[in-house]
Amino acid sequence: QSALTQPASVSGSPGQSITISCTGTSSDVGGYNYVSWYQQHPGKVPKLMIYDVSNRPSGVSNRFSGSKSGNTASLTISGLQAEDEADYYCSSFTSSSTRVFGTGTKVTVL
Amino acid sequence: EVQLVQSGAEVKKPGESLKISCKGSGYNFTIYWIAWVRQMPGKGLEWMGIIYPGDSGTRYSPSFQGQVTISADKSISTAFLQWSSLKASDTAMYYCVKQLRYYDSSNSDCWGQGTLVTVSS
């Protein structure tokens, strides 16, 4: 069961929008609408940002949005802010009835 | 307040056994799944497995099947992650996560603070 593929890094200037991709297979991302996204600041506990592909938990800014097309899910951060600088991980349910995380993406705010 | 409180940091030698814990409070422990997630130093998140405390049903990632044991004692609202023989490569931060559904996160998720396990001779 391989980790989902994410770009190692994505950067953007304050106010811009960035998109992080998460590529899997038809046995995970493509087969289910059960993709989540997590934000992790250095030394901190991960925080859930998106679940079920595009749902935001209460308290999460609407600048964060999720989508999916085929075997690739995406997290878009609009109106990029300094506090968004962190690592981001996707996760998907799999055909083995387990879950798998992505490789992680470091977001840098220029 | 819903909380998951994990046991403290551990320093162990290769070959030793270890059992770390995750105690839930503020909610009905038996009807939420508890997942375990590994994060090796400077690396990403890895999903290890999950348990349903109500009936102790478990599911393991193929990468961790046979390497660790996940259990729970609902009488004390506590889930456990254990190793019978630690290796240096088990050095990592381990998180427990409360989940309503085994197949995805949801608004009711809650993470423990993490337990750092260091395995060194």
Side-chain angles (χ1 to χ4, degrees):
Chain A
Q1 184 172 322
S2 301
L4 307 174
T5 301
Q6 299 180 230
S9 62
V10 173
S11 62
S13 300
Q16 284 187 331
S17 291
I18 61 169
T19 296
I20 304 167
S21 61
C22 169
T23 302
T25 69
S26 57
S27 295
D28 38 62
V29 174
Y32 309 92
N33 288 324
Y34 299 134
V35 176
S36 293
W37 289 89
Y38 303 85
Q39 175 193 65
Q40 186 180 33
H41 287 106
K44 300 297 186 183
V45 176
K47 175 185 176 184
L48 178 65
M49 306 302 284
I50 295 285
Y51 65 95
D52 290 355
V53 175
S54 60
N55 290 333
R56 269 188 314 276
S58 54
V60 171
S61 170
N62 59 10
R63 297 186 298 105
F64 291 85
S65 62
S67 62
K68 191 187 87 165
S69 178
N71 295 338
T72 298
S74 300
L75 175 71
T76 298
I77 308 174
S78 57
L80 198 62
Q81 299 180 0
E83 68 208 48
D84 300 332
E85 187 161 294
D87 293 325
Y88 291 82
Y89 298 91
C90 60
S91 176
S92 174
F93 184 64
T94 80
S95 57
S96 303
S97 291
T98 59
R99 292 179 69 188
V100 62
F101 280 102
T103 50
T105 298
K106 181 176 179 61
V107 168
T108 301
V109 181
L110 301 171
Chain B
E1 179 194 4
V2 173
Q3 269 191 311
L4 289 181
V5 177
Q6 297 185 230
S7 49
E10 301 274 1
V11 179
K12 291 289 191 179
K13 290 182 167 37
E16 290 186 331
S17 62
L18 175 65
K19 192 173 188 177
I20 63 175
S21 65
C22 168
K23 183 173 176 59
S25 61
Y27 71 98
N28 186 341
F29 186 75
T30 60
I31 65 170
Y32 286 83
W33 297 79
I34 296 285
W36 287 93
V37 175
R38 182 174 81 174
Q39 188 166 37
M40 299 173 74
K43 303 298 184 183
L45 305 176
E46 298 173 271
W47 194 89
M48 301 177 71
I50 197 166
I51 187 166
Y52 188 71
D55 61 8
S56 289
T58 54
R59 301 177 189 194
Y60 293 91
S61 162
S63 300
F64 292 93
Q65 179 82 49
Q67 307 305 307
V68 297
T69 301
I70 295 171
S71 61
D73 184 341
K74 59 187 179 184
S75 70
I76 55 171
S77 299
T78 302
F80 303 96
L81 178 65
Q82 69 180 89
W83 296 259
S84 58
S85 180
L86 286 160
K87 308 186 237 337
S89 57
D90 293 317
T91 294
M93 180 72 81
Y94 293 88
Y95 295 102
C96 62
V97 188
K98 160 189 167 281
Q99 296 182 206
L100 180 62
R101 311 174 298 173
Y102 72 89
Y103 49 88
D104 200 3
S105 292
S106 71
N107 205 35
S108 61
D109 273 20
C110 175
W111 287 64
Q113 83 277 19
T115 295
L116 181 62
V117 173
T118 303
V119 183
S120 174
S121 54

